[in-house]
């Protein structure tokens, strides 16, 4: 009533949508906040080092039947870190990584983090002009690559080939990274203009993996599929899911990850227990003959209710949404058969631990507004769900409606909308 009186008193004033008040506001605020948990005392690469000390002979990475133990991964990443430090890499230094899918990607990422630097993934499948732009715009100091990819990235600085044997390097002193130090740099797809780099700090990465533990309940017995192209930050989620928890990361060449029979065969033969896939890949996976697959996440596209109904039987099925800027993901919902078909009672997604969400109206006013994590900008930030987002990029996260309830499934595909490349599980290229 008060708003109607205000409108009649000043007919030419801008109309402001009503905001939640009283009990309704408190209810929405309760939905908006994730569990308030302490930040992780360890950075991601320190979690991996701890598992190397605890279970040195456990398999960390599997690639087409070949394995790499935690002790081997730790030592190889440390050697890369020492070589990088000799080249002047330290906190706030950017190192480019351009490799094919497989253990080299894992070694390189951990090596850069151990050196104190931040890595920028450079997908060799991307056009040369995009790679050149990213190399120059990021200010990267060193390139880690493989001999077969020489020249893929136009760069005239120091280049280390990960597939060339090198003499062991002794300890090299250097400043250790902390929670506020950048860990990696991800570039958006650039479909709305020039690609933009998003820098993520170690603190945000640590908070993300703690939220992931809260959501997934990972164990050292997990076998997590590395499906996303590492130019997209869903690949970071896959790394932490496995390696921060003593599990096994299953990598495969792109031809083994083609949606359909190839992907299905890889899931079965590697006995994958967890992974994130876009709904479009799930839709062509064929019969559900994956008894080991206990946790399945979808992201990157709107998930039809029919898919959620089918694939949530007998396992945990989670719809995940987030932006690159919020450290891969921010909200998620566990679904059971039938939950995608209740338009009168939409399932609200749960924010990640130590984070909160903001709901937006079409005019982009928040109702109610919640700030980012108390840990500040280095923490996993909030996930605002814009009701009027810019044109979609590719791949894009699942759209969240203006109500702030990230609808985990829709009765029919509606087409995703999102402000950046976000936490999409990119189809391998």
């Amino acid at each position: 009533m008060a708003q109607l009186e205000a409108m009649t008193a000043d007919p030419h004033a801008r109309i402001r949508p009503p905001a939640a008040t009283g009990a309704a506001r408190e209810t929405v605020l309760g939905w908006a906040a994730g569990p308030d948990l302490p930040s992780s005392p360890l950075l991601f690469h320190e979690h991996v080092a701890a598992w190397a000390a605890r279970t040195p002979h456990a398999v960390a990475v599997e690639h087409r039947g070949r394995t790499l133990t935690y002790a081997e991964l730790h030592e190889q990443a440390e050697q890369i870190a020492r070589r990088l430090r000799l080249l002047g890499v330290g906190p706030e230094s950017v190192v480019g990584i351009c490799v094919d899918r497989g253990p080299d990607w894992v070694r390189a990422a951990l090596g850069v983090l151990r050196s104190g630097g931040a890595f920028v993934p450079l997908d060799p499948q991307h056009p040369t002009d995009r790679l050149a732009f990213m190399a120059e715009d990021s200010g990267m100091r060193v390139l880690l690559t493989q001999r077969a990819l020489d020249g893929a990235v136009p760069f005239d600085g120091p280049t280390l080939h990960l597939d060339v044997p090198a003499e062991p390097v002794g300890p090299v002193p250097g400043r250790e990274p902390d929670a506020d130090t950048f860990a990696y740099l991800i570039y958006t797809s650039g479909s709305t203009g020039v690609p933009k780099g998003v820098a993520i700090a170690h603190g945000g990465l640590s908070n993300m993996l703690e939220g992931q533990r809260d959501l997934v309940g990972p164990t050292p017995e997990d076998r997590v599929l590395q499906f996303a192209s590492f130019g997209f930050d869903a690949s970071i989620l896959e790394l932490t899911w496995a390696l921060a928890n003593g599990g096994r990361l299953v990598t495969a060449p792109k031809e083994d990850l083609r949606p359909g029979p190839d992907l299905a065969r890889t899931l079965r033969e590697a006995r994958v227990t967890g992974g994130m896939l876009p709904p479009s890949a799930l839709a062509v996976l064929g019969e559900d003959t994956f008894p080991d697959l206990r946790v399945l996440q979808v992201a990157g596209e709107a998930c039809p209710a029919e898919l959620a109904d089918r694939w949530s039987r007998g396992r945990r099925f989670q719809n995940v949404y987030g932006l690159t800027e919020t450290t891969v993901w921010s909200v998620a919902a566990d679904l059971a058969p039938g939950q995608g078909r209740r338009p009168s009672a939409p399932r609200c997604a749960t924010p990640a631990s130590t984070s909160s969400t903001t709901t937006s109206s079409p005019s982009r006013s928040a109702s109610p507004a919640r700030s980012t994590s108390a840990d500040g900008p280095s923490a996993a930030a909030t996930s605002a769900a814009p009701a009027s987002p810019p044109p979609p990029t590719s791949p894009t996260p699942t759209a969240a409606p203006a109500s702030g309830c990230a609808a985990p499934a829709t009765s029919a595909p509606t087409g995703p909308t999102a402000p950046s490349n976000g936490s999409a599980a990119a189809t391998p290229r």
Side-chain angles (χ1 to χ4, degrees):
M1 187 65 181
Q3 186 163 22
L4 290 175
E5 291 174 350
M7 291 168 63
T8 56
D10 188 359
H12 301 291
R14 177 183 290 271
I15 297 175
R16 297 185 62 186
T21 59
R25 178 181 176 85
E26 292 305 313
T27 298
V28 177
L29 284 175
W31 288 341
D36 188 8
L37 302 176
S39 298
S40 172
L42 299 177
L43 306 184
F44 168 50
H45 61 279
E46 294 171 336
H47 284 282
V48 181
W51 283 106
R54 191 179 312 160
T55 57
H57 302 299
V59 174
V61 184
E62 176 183 329
H63 185 84
R64 277 193 164 180
R66 297 179 355 194
T67 60
L68 187 68
T69 68
Y70 271 88
E72 292 167 336
L73 176 61
H74 175 77
E75 177 57 30
Q76 292 170 16
E78 177 62 20
Q79 283 295 310
I80 293 171
R82 293 175 182 180
R83 295 171 69 190
L84 290 173
R85 282 186 169 178
L86 287 175
L87 293 172
V89 171
E92 310 305 317
S93 301
V94 177
V95 177
I97 302 176
C98 182
V99 295
D100 284 323
R101 288 172 171 271
D104 275 348
W105 154 239
V106 186
R107 297 184 187 103
L110 286 172
V112 174
L113 295 180
R114 292 184 64 82
S115 75
F119 63 83
V120 55
L122 302 166
D123 191 331
Q125 301 298 313
H126 283 166
T128 301
D129 57 349
R130 176 183 169 89
L131 295 174
F133 170 81
M134 293 164 64
E136 181 177 359
D137 184 70
S138 67
M140 70 185 206
R141 299 184 58 170
V142 181
L143 173 64
L144 300 178
T145 188
Q146 298 160 323
R147 285 173 292 184
L149 296 175
D150 265 342
V153 181
F155 178 67
D156 57 7
T159 298
L160 298 181
H161 293 97
L162 299 171
D163 53 350
V164 173
E167 291 295 321
V169 177
V172 179
R175 185 161 67 90
E176 297 294 329
D178 57 32
D180 295 324
T181 306
F182 288 137
Y184 64 87
L185 188 65
I186 291 283
Y187 277 80
T188 60
S189 64
S191 62
T192 58
V194 177
K196 297 178 178 61
V198 179
I200 300 298
H202 278 278
L205 184 56
S206 295
N207 274 5
M208 186 273 285
L209 70 86
E210 291 295 345
Q212 188 177 50
R213 287 173 170 175
D214 195 42
L215 175 68
V216 175
T219 72
E221 286 70 45
D222 285 352
R223 295 167 172 256
V224 181
L225 181 66
Q226 178 91 74
F227 178 82
S229 300
F230 55 81
F232 298 100
D233 60 356
S235 63
I236 309 297
L237 175 148
E238 295 161 344
L239 281 179
T240 58
W241 185 344
L243 301 180
N245 301 291
R248 178 182 306 204
L249 185 71
V250 176
T251 65
K254 61 184 179 180
E255 57 268 22
D256 289 357
L257 297 173
R258 285 187 294 248
D262 296 319
L263 176 58
R265 183 177 60 254
T266 297
L267 290 170
R268 282 192 296 268
E269 291 180 354
R271 296 170 51 209
V272 169
T273 64
M276 174 181 278
L277 299 173
S280 57
L282 200 57
V284 296
L285 205 50
E287 295 298 317
D288 186 354
T289 56
F290 312 103
D292 297 298
L293 190 58
R294 71 175 185 88
V295 180
L296 179 58
Q297 295 182 337
V298 289
E301 303 159 357
C303 181
E306 293 77 10
L307 274 183
D309 287 347
R310 178 183 175 191
W311 290 96
S312 60
R313 300 181 190 279
R315 63 173 58 89
R316 294 187 67 188
F317 185 88
Q318 298 171 334
N319 192 30
V320 181
Y321 172 84
L323 309 177
T324 298
E325 293 83 352
T326 65
T327 318
V328 188
W329 70 279
S330 300
V331 294
D334 272 290
L335 295 185
Q339 284 189 329
R341 302 175 184 273
R342 301 189 303 170
S344 60
R347 175 88 158 87
C348 284
T350 303
S353 61
T354 68
S355 70
S356 58
T357 59
T358 302
T359 61
S360 299
S361 70
S363 62
R364 294 184 178 270
S365 62
S367 170
R370 287 281 292 186
S371 63
T372 61
S373 162
D375 291 322
S378 64
T382 62
S383 170
S388 303
T393 58
S394 176
T396 54
T398 306
S403 66
C405 294
T410 56
S411 297
T414 57
T417 56
S420 74
N421 67 316
S423 61
T427 301
R429 291 169 294 174

